[in-house]
Amino acid sequence: MNFARFLCSQLLLICIVLLATSAWCVYAVLAGVNGVVVALTALCIVLCVIIYIICQYIFTDKRLKKLNRILAELDETYLLGEVLPLPENALEEEYFMIMKAVSRSAIETAELAKKSRDEYCEYVEKWVHEIKTPLTACSLILANNGDKRKLREQLRRADNVTENILYFARLKNSGASTQIVRTDVRSAVDDAVKSEMELLLSAGIGVEADGDFETCTDRKALVFILKQLLVNCAKYCRGAHIKITAEEGMLTFEDNGPGIPAHELPRIFSRGFSGSSAAGSGGTGMGLYLVKKTCENLGIEVTAASDEGKFTRFTFAFPSVRQTNLTNL
């Protein structure tokens, strides 16, 4: 800060001192005080103010230079609020607290952004490894006379893996891509099953669908959720039977596969979690995480139940059902 700018910031003080000094001089003269005494008193007041302003400038300039040095040494400038010198007065204390609040908010935002970036990079790395499996399989199939059925199966696997990373990328901006429309749940179930038919047939999985109801939701997202569950069954429940029931706003997806161990059940929707049945599969552990997050974006409540060795059941309660229940309460 140069002296001229600092002087401008002290204009109010200077004006008050000049007015007070002028008033004193007028009063002193009218009171019969000696003119020399009045002049000397006025001069002393002005000199004191000048000395005060100079000292304040030196002190302020020194503190600002210190702050600039601290700022220059910081790798992340938003951390300045965490290393500010202690305040010298009440006004500085208020500014100090404000800067602390701003800095902490910036730190939280930066940490969330870093966490999100790291999660995305980690997922992309896993995704690259997962997408290589069906692509390698396609190359081998083509090198061995190209069985069309097997080729379609591997292409479907690759398409599913690609769709997963697209949905993961959209999670942070779900509102822009969500299209809520009136839809029949049964038609979404049929589309999901038809889409994954190659994988289901290859895994020897039978699907039974029963019931229907109309709801307002993002149809593509609903199909994506169902496809994730079908793909999981094709991976880990070969030869199983799937029963999908739609009734009065509740959609139930149940298979009679190996089930989920009780100690793993609370974690199945966690990002990157792969249960014991998925060990060595090379999966990303993101399928059910995407199901959970997509359901949250659509206001659908999803719960899971399982009895190891007997069944696994996913239940989806659509918003209209929960609202009706709340109204009845």
Side-chain angles (χ1 to χ4, degrees):
M1 175 185 287
N2 59 48
F3 186 74
R5 288 188 63 190
F6 179 77
L7 198 61
C8 289
S9 70
Q10 302 295 316
L11 281 178
L12 180 60
L13 173 64
I14 293 171
C15 290
I16 291 173
V17 170
L18 288 176
L19 287 173
T21 304
S22 300
W24 154 251
C25 291
V26 172
Y27 174 77
V29 170
L30 292 176
V33 179
N34 186 285
V36 176
V37 173
V38 173
L40 288 174
T41 303
L43 182 62
C44 287
I45 294 173
V46 171
L47 286 174
C48 287
V49 172
I50 291 173
I51 292 170
Y52 169 79
I53 290 175
I54 292 172
C55 290
Q56 276 293 103
Y57 170 73
I58 293 171
F59 174 75
T60 303
D61 187 59
K62 182 180 178 181
R63 297 201 73 197
L64 287 175
K65 285 179 178 177
K66 182 179 179 181
L67 283 176
N68 285 324
R69 283 197 305 272
I70 294 172
L71 185 61
E73 292 170 359
L74 288 174
D75 293 329
E76 305 292 347
T77 54
Y78 59 81
L79 295 173
L80 180 62
E82 299 300 308
V83 293
L84 283 174
L86 293 176
E88 298 288 338
N89 53 54
L91 180 60
E92 283 192 8
E93 187 175 351
E94 293 296 325
Y95 282 123
F96 181 83
M97 297 307 296
I98 291 171
M99 282 299 298
K100 280 278 188 183
V102 171
S103 179
R104 285 169 184 171
S105 176
I107 290 171
E108 289 177 6
T109 302
E111 287 179 347
L112 286 174
K114 183 178 182 300
K115 182 181 178 182
S116 179
R117 182 196 65 195
D118 291 345
E119 286 178 357
Y120 188 74
C121 290
E122 179 186 349
Y123 181 36
V124 168
E125 185 177 346
K126 289 182 178 180
W127 177 84
V128 170
H129 289 291
E130 189 175 20
I131 194 68
K132 285 170 65 178
T133 302
L135 293 180
T136 302
C138 286
S139 298
L140 292 173
I141 292 168
L142 291 172
N144 291 277
N145 300 322
D147 186 314
K148 290 184 178 180
R149 183 185 62 78
K150 291 183 178 179
L151 187 61
R152 285 196 298 269
E153 178 186 342
Q154 295 304 324
L155 288 174
R156 168 48 53 189
R157 292 183 189 277
D159 184 64
N160 287 334
V161 174
T162 303
E163 189 176 25
N164 281 9
I165 200 169
L166 290 175
Y167 265 85
F168 183 77
R170 292 171 185 166
L171 283 179
K172 302 299 181 184
N173 190 29
S174 58
S177 58
T178 301
Q179 296 182 348
I180 304 297
V181 296
R182 296 189 71 84
T183 185
D184 295 325
V185 171
R186 178 61 180 271
S187 66
V189 171
D190 291 341
D191 285 354
V193 172
K194 183 179 178 181
S195 176
E196 303 301 332
M197 188 59 71
E198 293 288 343
L199 297 181
L200 296 172
L201 290 175
S202 176
I205 293 176
V207 180
E208 174 189 352
D210 185 34
D212 190 15
F213 63 87
E214 190 178 66
T215 187
C216 291
T217 191
D218 187 324
R219 191 177 187 282
K220 289 183 179 180
L222 178 58
V223 172
F224 170 78
I225 290 169
L226 293 167
K227 285 166 64 176
Q228 289 301 304
L229 301 182
L230 292 170
V231 169
N232 276 0
C233 283
K235 281 183 179 180
Y236 312 123
C237 308
R238 301 184 70 85
H241 179 78
I242 298 172
K243 184 174 182 179
I244 305 174
T245 306
E247 186 177 8
E248 296 181 357
M250 302 289 290
L251 179 65
T252 304
F253 185 106
E254 182 174 338
D255 67 71
N256 62 350
I260 302 170
H263 67 278
E264 292 181 359
L265 191 59
R267 301 176 58 197
I268 61 172
F269 293 116
S270 300
R271 186 182 67 85
F273 176 73
S274 295
S276 54
S277 61
S281 67
T284 60
M286 296 293 288
L288 291 180
Y289 170 79
L290 292 174
V291 167
K292 178 70 172 179
K293 289 299 180 181
T294 305
C295 285
E296 288 177 357
N297 290 338
L298 297 176
I300 300 172
E301 183 180 343
V302 56
T303 55
S306 184
D307 190 348
E308 192 172 5
K310 295 183 178 180
F311 73 90
T312 299
R313 181 189 307 117
F314 293 91
T315 303
F316 300 88
F318 286 75
S320 58
V321 175
R322 296 204 308 279
Q323 289 168 6
T324 301
N325 290 341
L326 289 173
T327 302
N328 292 338
L329 290 174

